[in-house]
């Protein structure tokens, strides 16, 4: 009669296997995290492209005019219709500015496209369980969108800032649509119960020298900009480089791509640490924010 003896793992062998698994996990987990971050960035870029196409459709219906960044005319009369077609007027009557995402929303399937997957802020639960009713919640979602319009140049009002934030220009006023910013990834400042959440506009880097009358004196990029009113300033104003140091940008012709802050501020003297009041345009041919 023959007996077979099963050989068990020794403690040393088990420890070696555990160590190998731990090393592999340490190597692979960052790779998986980077892959997830890349997937979110691609999803955000897809959102941007769809919004860009929807905006071009909107402009076709309005004789080539860009959407206005914001309108706060409280003289607008209420509508009895409670669907999205009445959203623009309904927002004003509920004390929320009528923002450009509201105007574009009928051309897209869901307002959720205006929410970047990498934007974790959820002010007052607007992007959550809809606690304020469908219309009011939709208005606040458009107010705290993840994408901000280049209103410094695309909305202008000679001699004044009335109506806020200026009147939208026609596409004929943009000399190089493929090289002019339409909207960019923006920050949602403050925490989820306090702070300023208006993220539907984006300040150009050199706010001091732009040829418009509707920029904020504490806007632009750099130290002192209201857009960097965060615990972790990026010195890029309200532009959010949230995708591994970069952010998605849509140009006026509708195409979208990722930009690093330095590339988006090309043609200026912007650098990390510079004051917002010191940023100036140094080479207009490279500056992608103005109308050229």
């Amino acid at each position: 009669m023959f007996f077979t003896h099963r050989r068990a793992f020794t403690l040393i062998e088990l420890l070696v296997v555990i160590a190998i698994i731990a090393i592999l996990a340490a190597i692979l987990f960052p790779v998986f995290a980077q892959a997830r971050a890349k997937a979110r960035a691609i999803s955000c870029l897809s959102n941007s492209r769809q919004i860009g196409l929807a905006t071009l459709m909107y402009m076709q219906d309005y004789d080539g005019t860009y959407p206005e960044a914001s309108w706060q005319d409280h003289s607008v009369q209420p509508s009895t219709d409670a669907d999205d077609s009445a959203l623009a007027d309904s927002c004003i009557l509920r004390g929320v500015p009528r923002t450009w995402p509201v105007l574009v929303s009928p051309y897209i399937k869901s307002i959720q496209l205006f929410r970047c997957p990498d934007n974790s802020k959820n002010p007052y639960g607007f992007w959550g369980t809809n606690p304020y009713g469908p219309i009011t919640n939709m208005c606040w979602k458009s107010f705290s969108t993840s994408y901000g319009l280049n209103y410094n140049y695309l909305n202008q009002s000679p001699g004044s800032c009335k109506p806020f934030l200026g009147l939208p220009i026609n596409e004929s006023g943009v000399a190089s649509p493929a090289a002019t910013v339409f909207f960019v990834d923006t920050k949602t400042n403050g925490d989820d119960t306090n702070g300023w959440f208006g993220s539907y506009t984006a300040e150009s880097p050199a706010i001091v020298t732009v040829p418009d009358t509707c920029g904020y004196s504490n806007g632009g990029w750099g130290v002192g900009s209201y857009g960097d009113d965060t615990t972790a300033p990026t010195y890029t104003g309200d532009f959010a480089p949230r995708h591994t140091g970069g952010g998605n940008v849509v140009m006026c012709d509708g195409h979208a791509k990722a930009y690093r802050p330095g590339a988006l501020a090309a043609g200026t003297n912007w650098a990390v640490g510079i004051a917002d009041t010191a940023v100036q345009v140094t080479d207009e041919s490279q500056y992608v924010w103005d109308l050229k």
Side-chain angles (χ1 to χ4, degrees):
M1 189 174 192
F2 296 96
F3 295 94
T4 59
H5 296 279
R6 292 186 177 181
R7 182 177 177 273
F9 286 111
T10 66
L11 178 61
I12 296 297
E13 288 172 330
L14 287 173
L15 291 175
V16 169
V17 171
I18 293 172
I20 292 173
I21 293 173
I23 292 171
L24 290 174
I27 294 172
L28 293 176
F29 283 174
V31 174
F32 293 152
Q34 291 175 7
R36 287 194 297 270
K38 185 64 175 178
R40 291 193 299 270
I42 292 173
S43 177
C44 181
L45 184 62
S46 175
N47 288 359
S48 299
R49 286 173 175 154
Q50 292 183 66
I51 297 169
L53 292 175
T55 304
L56 293 178
M57 294 170 62
Y58 164 90
M59 292 171 62
Q60 287 178 354
D61 288 343
Y62 289 90
D63 298 322
T65 301
Y66 285 95
E68 61 200 3
S70 174
W71 188 269
Q72 301 185 74
D73 186 356
H74 292 272
S75 67
V76 175
Q77 295 300 309
S79 171
T80 57
D81 190 359
D83 62 16
D84 287 351
S85 64
L87 180 59
D89 295 347
S90 298
C91 291
I92 296 172
L93 293 166
R94 287 166 172 76
V96 188
R98 182 182 68 190
T99 61
W100 71 272
V102 169
L103 300 178
V104 176
S105 62
Y107 298 85
I108 61 176
K109 292 183 178 180
S110 171
I111 195 71
Q112 201 69 26
L113 283 178
F114 286 93
R115 174 75 164 173
C116 173
D118 263 336
N119 185 0
S120 60
K121 292 293 183 67
N122 184 23
Y124 298 96
F126 296 142
W127 291 92
T129 57
N130 200 13
Y132 300 97
I135 294 296
T136 303
N137 184 257
M138 189 80 75
C139 298
W140 282 114
K141 281 182 178 179
S142 70
F143 186 76
S144 57
T145 174
S146 300
Y147 309 102
L149 179 74
N150 174 18
Y151 83 97
N152 294 138
Y153 290 97
L154 299 182
N155 285 192
Q156 298 183 10
S157 184
S160 71
C161 272
K162 296 180 181 179
F164 184 83
L165 297 158
L167 295 173
I169 67 168
N170 189 273
E171 61 184 348
S172 61
V174 181
S176 303
T180 304
V181 170
F182 171 47
F183 63 88
V184 303
D185 273 339
T186 47
K187 304 171 183 174
T188 304
N189 288 329
D191 58 34
D192 286 346
T193 56
N194 295 285
W196 179 251
F197 299 111
S199 52
Y200 58 92
T201 60
E203 297 278 335
S204 56
I207 186 64
V208 175
T209 54
V210 297
D212 68 87
T213 57
C214 290
Y216 291 105
S217 60
N218 63 337
W221 289 21
V223 179
S225 166
Y226 75 83
D228 257 336
D229 185 20
T230 64
T231 55
T234 61
Y235 308 105
T236 58
D238 38 24
F239 169 63
R242 52 176 158 246
H243 303 300
T244 59
N248 293 320
V249 179
V250 174
M251 295 300 183
C252 287
D253 68 341
H255 87 273
K257 62 180 292 187
Y259 273 79
R260 292 278 181 175
L264 196 55
T268 75
N269 62 337
W270 174 84
V272 172
I274 191 173
D276 63 327
T277 54
V279 180
Q280 298 183 4
V281 176
T282 56
D283 185 351
E284 191 175 10
S285 67
Q286 297 185 48
Y287 194 50
V288 295
W289 293 78
D290 69 4
L291 308 180
K292 296 180 177 60

